[in-house]
Amino acid sequence: MPDTSSRSLRIFPSRRIRGTVTVPGDKSITHRALLLATLAEGESRLSGVLTGEDCLATIRACQALGAEIEFLNATTVRVKGRDRKLLAPAEPIDCGNSGTLMRLIAGILAGQPFSSCLIGDASLSRRPMARILVPLRQMGARIDAKGPGELPPLEIHGSQLHGIDYRLPLPSAQVKSCLLLAGLFASGVTRLQEPIPTRDHTERLLRHFGLWPIFDNGQLVVHGGVRLHGHDLFIPGDFSSAAFWIVAAAAFPGSELFVQGVGLNPSRTGLLKILLRMGATVKETIESCETEPYGTLEIRGERLRGTRIRGEEIAQVIDELPILAVAGALAQGETIIRDASELRVKESDRLAALAYNLRAFGVPVEELPDGLIIEGGHPLRAASVQSFGDHRIAMAFAILALAADGVSVIEDTACIATSYPGFEKDFESLTQSEIPGWGERAFRQIGHRWARWAKESLEDPAEARFPVVAIDGTAASGKTTVAQELARRLDFAYCSTGVLYRAMTWKLLQMGVDISNRFRVARAVGKIPMDCWIENHQLKIRVGDEDPSPYLRDPEVNANVSLVASIPAVRRYLLPLQRKLARQAPLVMEGRDIGTVVFPKTPYKFFLDADPLVRQERRRQQGETDLLLERDQKDRERKLAPLKPAHDAVILDTTRTTVNELVETILRHLKRKGMNLQ
Ligand code: DC
């Protein structure tokens, strides 16, 4: 049994696609080749067969009708055809999720001298069948749709069909194919007229198996009773599967992708025309034109611009509209999709699914009865979205998630196997996650700028892994209260670095080291076994096996800490300890030199200051004996890491603002700087 459990995909951001890919065989061609080889006399060896769930259902269906099908290797089958004489299936034929199978095989079964039943999964059981039932009944078919409103299951009572002249009311390659297949078993001639041309695989394959459907006056003509002859066939890669990589590579500047052995039937490659219009760079090389053209595509990433997709074009890109909607979200400006109400009755209501999921990623989108208006080019936030059981929705959003600002999750992705087994493997080889091994929760908090910074930082293992908000400033400027509240709001760890300097001061005093002698201090510091880490969102310190926290605000410590903090050996000692913390948790880190020295690359830097008298009063109210103005003076004057705002810090005057106002201001700045706040 295939794995039908609802798996999920976790997608790390990566804005570049690089490499070469060969996608699995074409789904449409595989279905049709299997059915026609079953009807033909003799053997057909089909290579490049798609072994996704949908096509496996077709193999089982063909076997149920008496075809002998044997796998010669993973993607090659030998089909011994029935020369039109099918067996009555013993049981209902399960079409699984495949609308193509149900609609095409219904055309074959309608004209057989036996009865049969077609069933499908929950999604297929909601897909409209009236579009085939109406013309088939005109041909004399007796079919009962057992579901409400002509929905599956279909009970087919075999009967003698007769040819009809039929103009398809809507463009549908499945309806066209169904009627062509029914026409093979009908008396007389079946003539079909399409309002808009749709994919022509059935016509090409009929030709491949020896029957030449004639084009006569814009009509497609088949004669009943003709024989098909077995023939080997190579099935090229599915353009609709390649479409996910094509769009990703086209939309991410700096990408370079080669797609090899991919089907390039012009009735399928409408996507390329649209991408070119959007500003993409695509080179198409056709290597073979036998039955189905195929070749290589070369795509280079550019900044795309929005476009309009409507009218006749829709039929050419019907399966690609989900990924085209994603292209629209990644492009600059507006993309409008109209005349696509057919999407509402695909494997899911694709218009609703697209609108819902695009919004989850932060894309402004308007859902219309027959399309979407997508405002592209907005920064995307990481999201957790549903596939709605639809393989193309799942894959389209896996691509969009590459551009998000953190780890996204696509739920319920087992459906991808219906058309693209191996998608995950190709995904891994073509995308390179920007930040390997990233903690998900923390990553959700970061924005584009930080992602860039983090990448640089990783090259220096001493540097941060998680986002750090630096809160520097003068003593009693409100840093601690603001930083603590901010950490609470962000769910980051709060971390005051002053306590490290205080712990060091306490220990030096305890050891009786002459603090005014920086050489003695330097020597003593080397012997102090100090460590710190994050526990329960808090900074913990140990000096040997002692916990210094009860002594950190002793008057003696207050009086000496600035001096100790000015000694280079102390700062050198504490620097890696502070940086290490950012490898443990996302931090709001309070201090004097966090933005200038400890984490100079974080884009989230704030410097708090207030009127000195107000600050003094604050300390007095806290009941502390702290000569803070003198400390500030010393902190400012020291040579190493003096107290000063980083050039890119946001400076906030806290004299007359409340803590809440300050925190809100900081949150606004963080958002503007690209941090993803939920
Ligand atoms: O934030 P605090 O008052 O606990 O800091 C105590 C002293 O430590 C302060 O006078 C300056 C020094 N310090 C520093 O130099 N660099 C830091 N990152 C943090 C504190």
Side-chain angles (χ1 to χ4, degrees):
M1 270 299 283
D3 177 15
T4 49
S5 61
S6 63
R7 302 216 317 263
S8 62
L9 278 180
R10 281 157 54 89
I11 312 286
F12 283 75
S14 169
R15 289 166 201 85
R16 190 178 286 183
I17 298 288
R18 275 180 181 273
T20 301
V21 69
T22 309
V23 292
D26 188 286
K27 185 152 82 83
S28 289
I29 300 175
T30 301
H31 282 303
R32 287 159 171 82
L34 286 164
L35 291 170
L36 291 179
T38 295
L39 298 180
E41 58 78 27
E43 267 184 21
S44 303
R45 195 185 281 241
L46 311 177
S47 56
V49 163
L50 173 65
T51 53
E53 271 312 296
D54 276 16
C55 295
L56 292 179
T58 299
I59 290 181
R60 287 191 288 269
C62 292
Q63 287 169 329
L65 297 176
E68 279 177 41
I69 302 181
E70 185 192 354
F71 269 91
L72 302 179
N73 62 40
T75 56
T76 305
V77 293
R78 183 167 48 210
V79 184
K80 241 192 218 160
R82 297 291 307 175
D83 195 10
R84 297 175 56 98
K85 291 180 280 296
L86 304 176
L87 298 182
E91 290 171 2
I93 292 176
D94 188 352
C95 301
N97 189 247
S98 176
T100 306
L101 173 57
M102 187 173 276
R103 290 180 181 136
L104 267 59
I105 207 167
I108 295 173
L109 293 173
Q112 301 304 318
F114 53 77
S115 294
S116 52
C117 180
L118 298 177
I119 58 172
D121 69 7
S123 144
L124 181 52
S125 301
R126 286 192 297 271
R127 296 183 65 183
M129 291 296 146
R131 54 187 63 192
I132 57 163
L133 296 181
V134 169
L136 283 176
R137 285 175 185 147
Q138 284 179 25
M139 294 175 83
R142 290 186 299 128
I143 306 178
D144 294 327
K146 293 294 189 188
E150 301 276 54
L151 293 179
L154 300 182
E155 221 170 82
I156 303 172
H157 310 283
S159 53
Q160 179 54 54
L161 305 183
H162 52 82
I164 52 167
D165 276 19
Y166 189 69
R167 186 175 198 284
L168 275 68
L170 77 174
S172 165
Q174 291 177 353
V175 176
K176 172 177 66 174
S177 303
C178 167
L179 299 179
L180 284 172
L181 292 170
L184 295 178
F185 291 93
S187 61
V189 182
T190 301
R191 294 171 196 276
L192 304 175
Q193 202 180 341
E194 287 189 280
I196 294 169
T198 58
R199 60 185 65 180
D200 61 356
H201 300 305
T202 306
E203 297 91 305
R204 285 172 184 263
L205 289 180
L206 281 170
R207 232 170 284 152
H208 186 82
F209 288 99
L211 169 70
W212 289 77
I214 312 162
F215 272 104
D216 181 20
N217 222 356
Q219 285 188 317
L220 194 52
V221 181
V222 277
H223 289 266
V226 291
R227 275 179 97 185
L228 301 177
H229 304 284
H231 212 299
D232 293 349
L233 175 75
F234 166 69
I235 299 171
D238 196 322
F239 183 85
S240 298
S241 297
F244 299 101
W245 310 124
I246 294 171
V247 166
F252 293 126
S255 298
E256 190 181 62
L257 173 73
F258 292 89
V259 189
Q260 290 179 331
V262 64
L264 295 172
N265 179 325
S267 66
R268 290 286 297 284
T269 54
L271 169 85
L272 297 181
K273 235 188 319 171
I274 294 170
L275 285 178
L276 289 173
R277 205 159 71 213
M278 296 174 84
T281 304
V282 182
K283 193 171 140 200
E284 185 181 353
T285 313
I286 293 182
E287 284 145 20
S288 168
C289 274
E290 226 183 278
T291 304
E292 287 285 353
Y294 65 87
T296 300
L297 290 172
E298 187 182 335
I299 299 106
R300 276 169 213 284
E302 309 282 350
R303 259 220 166 288
L304 299 182
R305 13 173 222 282
T307 189
R308 275 156 207 264
I309 309 164
R310 62 192 310 172
E312 293 206 1
E313 206 166 40
I314 291 292
Q316 260 83 63
V317 291
I318 193 76
D319 284 342
E320 283 67 71
L321 286 170
I323 190 65
L324 271 168
V326 163
L330 296 172
Q332 293 297 319
E334 209 172 58
T335 290
I336 302 177
I337 299 173
R338 298 299 304 262
D339 306 316
S341 48
E342 181 64 13
L343 286 192
R344 296 215 180 266
V345 290
K346 285 285 182 184
E347 283 86 330
S348 65
D349 176 344
R350 284 186 175 160
L351 290 178
L354 284 167
Y356 193 85
N357 285 358
L358 285 170
R359 277 188 203 118
F361 278 93
V363 180
V365 55
E366 189 182 334
E367 184 182 342
L368 308 169
D370 67 340
L372 298 170
I373 301 177
I374 300 156
E375 214 183 292
H378 286 260
L380 301 178
R381 58 171 180 253
S384 179
V385 295
Q386 277 292 324
S387 71
F388 298 92
D390 186 331
H391 53 132
R392 299 206 197 279
I393 295 292
M395 290 185 275
F397 283 94
I399 299 299
L400 187 69
L402 288 170
D405 63 358
V407 180
S408 297
V409 179
I410 318 293
E411 302 280 5
D412 191 10
T413 51
C415 55
I416 289 176
T418 59
S419 67
Y420 199 156
F423 176 78
E424 276 180 60
K425 206 170 88 293
D426 288 342
F427 195 95
E428 251 168 54
S429 80
L430 294 175
T431 63
Q432 299 137 11
S433 176
E434 278 176 7
I435 302 158
W438 200 274
E440 178 173 343
R441 194 182 64 86
F443 207 174
R444 280 178 172 281
Q445 306 286 348
I446 67 168
H448 298 288
R449 280 187 64 186
W450 209 84
R452 273 205 301 279
W453 173 61
K455 195 177 175 189
E456 286 164 36
S457 302
L458 278 183
E459 281 147 25
D460 173 0
E463 285 248 26
R465 282 200 147 217
F466 287 98
V468 177
V469 181
I471 307 280
D472 291 309
T474 51
S477 59
K479 293 191 304 297
T480 306
T481 350
V482 167
Q484 282 177 339
E485 175 59 12
L486 185 65
R488 197 187 62 76
R489 294 280 295 271
L490 291 172
D491 195 24
F492 282 22
Y494 162 71
C495 171
S496 154
T497 53
V499 298
L500 297 174
Y501 291 92
R502 288 172 180 274
M504 184 62 86
T505 307
W506 165 75
K507 188 65 192 172
L508 289 167
L509 291 171
Q510 194 201 44
M511 289 162 74
V513 177
D514 175 5
I515 285 172
S516 62
N517 185 330
R518 52 184 54 203
F519 299 103
R520 294 244 164 91
V521 169
R523 212 170 312 133
V525 161
K527 293 190 200 123
I528 295 176
M530 190 158 146
D531 195 14
C532 64
W533 66 97
I534 301 292
E535 197 178 295
N536 293 333
H537 277 39
Q538 303 283 337
L539 175 63
K540 297 277 177 211
I541 309 175
R542 284 207 90 75
V543 183
D545 21 313
E546 286 173 290
D547 176 4
S549 39
Y551 319 107
L552 298 181
R553 300 220 161 247
D554 284 356
E556 234 198 328
V557 172
N558 278 345
N560 289 293
V561 64
S562 283
L563 184 56
V564 170
S566 69
I567 299 172
V570 172
R571 303 202 78 84
R572 265 202 307 276
Y573 182 97
L574 293 180
L575 188 61
L577 285 185
Q578 294 168 83
R579 287 182 174 166
K580 173 182 92 166
L581 296 172
R583 299 176 74 82
Q584 297 174 4
L587 303 173
V588 175
M589 190 174 255
E590 173 202 339
R592 304 293 191 286
D593 60 343
I594 310 306
T596 49
V597 175
V598 184
F599 293 112
K601 285 181 188 159
T602 179
Y604 310 130
K605 298 185 184 113
F606 299 88
F607 190 91
L608 274 50
D609 201 359
D611 185 311
L613 295 176
V614 172
R615 294 194 284 123
Q616 245 171 352
E617 177 58 20
R618 282 177 188 166
R619 267 293 190 271
R620 202 187 55 74
Q621 283 180 7
Q622 286 164 357
E624 278 204 35
T625 52
D626 189 1
L627 302 168
L628 59 93
L629 299 186
E630 282 169 39
R631 278 210 290 126
D632 279 353
Q633 192 61 24
K634 285 193 190 132
D635 293 344
R636 274 201 190 94
E637 284 170 358
R638 69 177 177 232
K639 284 213 180 65
L640 197 64
L643 170 64
K644 64 163 193 210
H647 71 277
D648 55 342
V650 176
I651 299 175
L652 298 170
D653 183 345
T654 68
T655 311
R656 269 176 288 273
T657 35
T658 66
V659 173
N660 268 342
E661 282 167 350
L662 281 166
V663 169
E664 288 302 331
T665 307
I666 292 176
L667 287 171
R668 264 199 310 280
H669 279 284
L670 290 177
K671 205 164 179 183
R672 204 169 309 141
K673 283 169 181 283
M675 188 181 274
N676 181 24
L677 305 173
Q678 271 132 25

